[in-house]
């Protein structure tokens, strides 16, 4: 009669290792958004975030070492970095697609309630400024570079057209309307804005 060997004991986590529950992490992120919208970055505290999330301060500090790092993580989550440049086959179509992406981003509560405050704080905090620039500008700039490069290759734009000018013409009005004035943006407005951007770049 043969006997089977005893099963190997289950592996245990190292003693003292912290197991970070994802539901707690998400509750903290949600609390940060609410706290930023309510009091702004300067007045936000880890204690207030913990209370709003229903956790202890240690739960926050296990994940982020300061409120700055907490906010940097949150800002990075809304980056459009990595999104491919639109490829519709025309300058107008690409600009219109870019406006659609940016309008969707700016309609998020993070943009309307938090980004303006973070931009003010960024003027006083170089680390925050770098993170905000990286999350909110670098991805858009790369998309604009792709759009302009393809339009130049098709002969729709002159060589040397500045992608930053395209971004200014497209995103400036959207930011003003959606974040500053807080007026709704619909398809017809984006259509007209796209035509205006193309006219400005080709003039």
């Amino acid at each position: 009669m043969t006997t089977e060997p005893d099963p190997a004991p289950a592996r245990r986590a190292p003693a003292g290792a912290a197991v970070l529950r994802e539901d707690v992490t998400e509750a903290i992120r949600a609390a940060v958004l609410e706290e930023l919208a309510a009091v702004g970055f300067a007045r936000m505290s880890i204690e207030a975030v913990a209370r709003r999330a229903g956790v202890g301060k240690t739960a926050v500090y296990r994940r982020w070492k300061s409120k700055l790092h907490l906010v940097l993580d949150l800002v990075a989550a809304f980056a459009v970095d990595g999104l491919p440049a639109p490829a519709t086959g025309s300058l107008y179509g690409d600009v219109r697609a870019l406006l659609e992406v940016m309008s969707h981003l700016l309609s998020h509560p993070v943009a309307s309630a938090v980004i303006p405050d973070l931009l003010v704080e960024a003027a006083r905090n170089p680390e925050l400024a770098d993170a905000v620039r990286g999350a909110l500008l670098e991805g858009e700039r790369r998309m604009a570079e792709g759009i302009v490069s393809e339009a130049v290759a098709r002969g729709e734009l002159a060589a040397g057209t500045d992608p930053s000018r395209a971004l200014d013409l497209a995103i400036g009005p959207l930011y003003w309307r959606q974040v500053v004035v807080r007026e709704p943006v619909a398809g017809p407005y984006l259509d007209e804005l796209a035509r205006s951007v193309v006219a400005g770049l080709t003039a």
Side-chain angles (χ1 to χ4, degrees):
M1 177 177 174
T2 59
T3 58
E4 294 182 359
D6 293 335
R11 300 184 68 177
R12 300 175 59 188
V19 179
L20 302 181
R21 289 171 46 190
E22 188 60 29
D23 60 329
V24 173
T25 301
E26 290 308 310
I28 294 171
R29 286 194 175 113
V32 173
L33 276 180
E34 294 170 6
E35 194 67 15
L36 280 172
V39 303
F41 178 81
R43 294 174 58 199
M44 188 186 86
S45 68
I46 293 292
E47 292 79 3
V49 168
R51 280 196 304 272
R52 195 180 283 271
V55 300
K57 286 192 300 182
T58 55
V60 181
Y61 282 116
R62 281 195 197 104
R63 292 162 172 81
W64 301 277
K65 62 183 180 181
S66 69
K67 76 172 185 179
L68 174 60
H69 288 86
L70 211 173
V71 172
L72 295 184
D73 175 67
L74 188 70
V75 170
F78 290 90
V80 299
D81 193 26
L83 288 179
T88 66
S90 73
L91 176 59
Y92 170 83
D94 288 352
V95 170
R96 179 62 175 78
L98 173 64
L99 291 173
E100 191 75 40
V101 170
M102 294 309 303
S103 177
H104 180 72
L105 174 67
L106 292 175
S107 67
H108 193 282
V110 172
S112 61
V114 172
I115 288 177
D117 178 69
L118 290 182
L119 290 174
V120 171
E121 290 299 326
R124 297 188 282 264
N125 188 319
E127 190 174 359
L128 182 59
D130 287 343
V132 171
R133 222 173 2 249
L136 304 180
L137 296 178
E138 290 307 317
E140 289 93 326
R141 186 173 291 119
R142 274 189 281 274
M143 291 177 74
E145 288 171 353
I147 290 171
V148 169
S149 174
E150 289 299 314
V152 169
R154 289 190 300 264
E156 293 181 275
L157 289 177
T161 299
D162 185 3
S164 295
R165 181 165 172 249
L167 201 58
D168 290 345
L169 289 170
I171 308 306
L174 270 186
Y175 185 88
W176 175 262
R177 189 178 182 104
Q178 291 188 246
V179 179
V180 179
V181 181
R182 296 178 185 265
E183 290 186 3
V185 168
Y189 174 81
L190 296 180
D191 295 340
E192 182 59 34
L193 180 55
R195 284 192 286 270
S196 298
V197 172
V198 170
L201 291 173
T202 56

